[in-house]
């Protein structure tokens, strides 16, 4: 991810300095999509790790989220 972000920054500086070639514009767009995909993956993974508790400490995680957590757990186990 660091390499992607570094390259995006290089292209941004070059764009400010004098513009990008069509190939560089396409590369920048592809890199941005890859970067956003990585970020979305991190957010999704974090969201699926959440458990909601009430004041008494009882699990009140919505059923839909619990089902999604179970599905992602099964998929991760299948991948291994």
């Amino acid at each position: 991810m660091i390499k992607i972000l570094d390259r995006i920054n290089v292209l941004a500086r070059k764009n400010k300095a004098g513009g990008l070639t069509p190939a560089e514009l396409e590369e920048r767009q592809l890199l941005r999509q890859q970067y956003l995909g990585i970020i979305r993956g991190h957010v999704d993974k974090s969201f699926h790790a959440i458990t909601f508790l009430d004041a008494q400490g009882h699990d009140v995680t919505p059923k839909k989220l619990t089902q999604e957590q179970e599905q992602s757990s099964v998929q991760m186990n299948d991948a291994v």
Side-chain angles (χ1 to χ4, degrees), residues 32-63:
R32 285 177 173 176
Q33 289 174 355
Q34 289 175 350
Y35 179 74
L36 289 174
I38 292 168
I39 297 299
R40 288 181 183 121
H42 287 292
V43 170
D44 192 48
K45 187 176 179 181
S46 296
F47 178 73
H48 282 97
I50 293 174
T51 301
F52 294 92
L53 303 175
D54 64 10
Q56 289 77 35
H58 299 107
D59 186 355
V60 293
T61 305
K63 289 185 190 272

Side-chain angles (χ1 to χ4, degrees), residues 3 14 17-18 25-26 35 43 52 61 66 73:
K3 289 180 182 181
K14 185 175 180 186
L25 289 170
E26 187 175 326
Y35 179 74
V43 170
F52 294 92
T61 305
T66 303
S73 175

